[in-house]
């Protein structure tokens, strides 16, 4: 029996098993890192959306903005007389 060949084969098997265990952990690490990056991007997007909505809320609480939006909807203030002009060419 050749013990040197058996020793090298056993060492090779142990090396492959250890490498396999490391590869599994490396794959799990990269998968977790990718998921964390995805969640981080989602949180960043939601933070930007939150900031935009807060700015919009602050703008909508201003009386000038309320008046402007009401005029765009065709509303008139009490005491004003609304006029409707028909037959204008479309732009």
């Amino acid at each position: 029996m050749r013990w040197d060949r058996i020793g090298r084969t056993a060492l090779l098997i142990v090396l492959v098993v250890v490498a396999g265990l490391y590869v599994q952990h490396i794959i799990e690490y990269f998968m977790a890192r990718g998921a964390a990056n995805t969640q981080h991007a989602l949180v960043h997007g939601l933070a930007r959306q939150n900031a935009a909505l807060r700015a919009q809320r602050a703008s909508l609480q201003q009386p000038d903005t309320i008046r402007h939006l009401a005029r765009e909807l065709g509303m008139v203030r009490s005491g004003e007389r609304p006029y409707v002009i028909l037959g204008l060419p479309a732009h």
Side-chain angles (χ1 to χ4, degrees):
M1 197 172 269
R2 300 210 33 170
W3 290 104
D4 59 338
R5 183 171 277 193
I6 293 173
R8 279 188 292 216
T9 306
L11 184 60
L12 183 62
I13 291 171
V14 169
L15 182 64
V16 168
V17 169
V18 170
L21 293 174
Y22 276 111
V23 167
Q24 179 184 2
H25 289 293
I26 290 171
I27 291 171
E28 289 175 2
Y29 168 75
F30 281 116
M31 288 177 63
R33 187 173 170 189
N37 287 340
T38 302
Q39 293 298 319
H40 183 68
L42 179 64
V43 167
H44 245 356
L46 289 174
R48 281 194 303 269
Q49 184 180 8
N50 188 1
L53 289 172
R54 286 180 187 270
Q56 183 181 11
R57 182 186 72 179
S59 172
L60 289 174
Q61 291 175 346
Q62 300 296 323
D64 291 337
T65 305
I66 295 170
R67 272 193 290 278
H68 176 73
L69 292 174
R71 294 289 183 181
E72 285 182 356
L73 291 173
M75 296 180 177
V76 294
R77 296 178 83 175
S78 61
E80 289 182 341
R81 180 176 295 188
Y83 292 96
V84 177
I85 300 173
L86 302 174
L88 292 176
H91 292 253

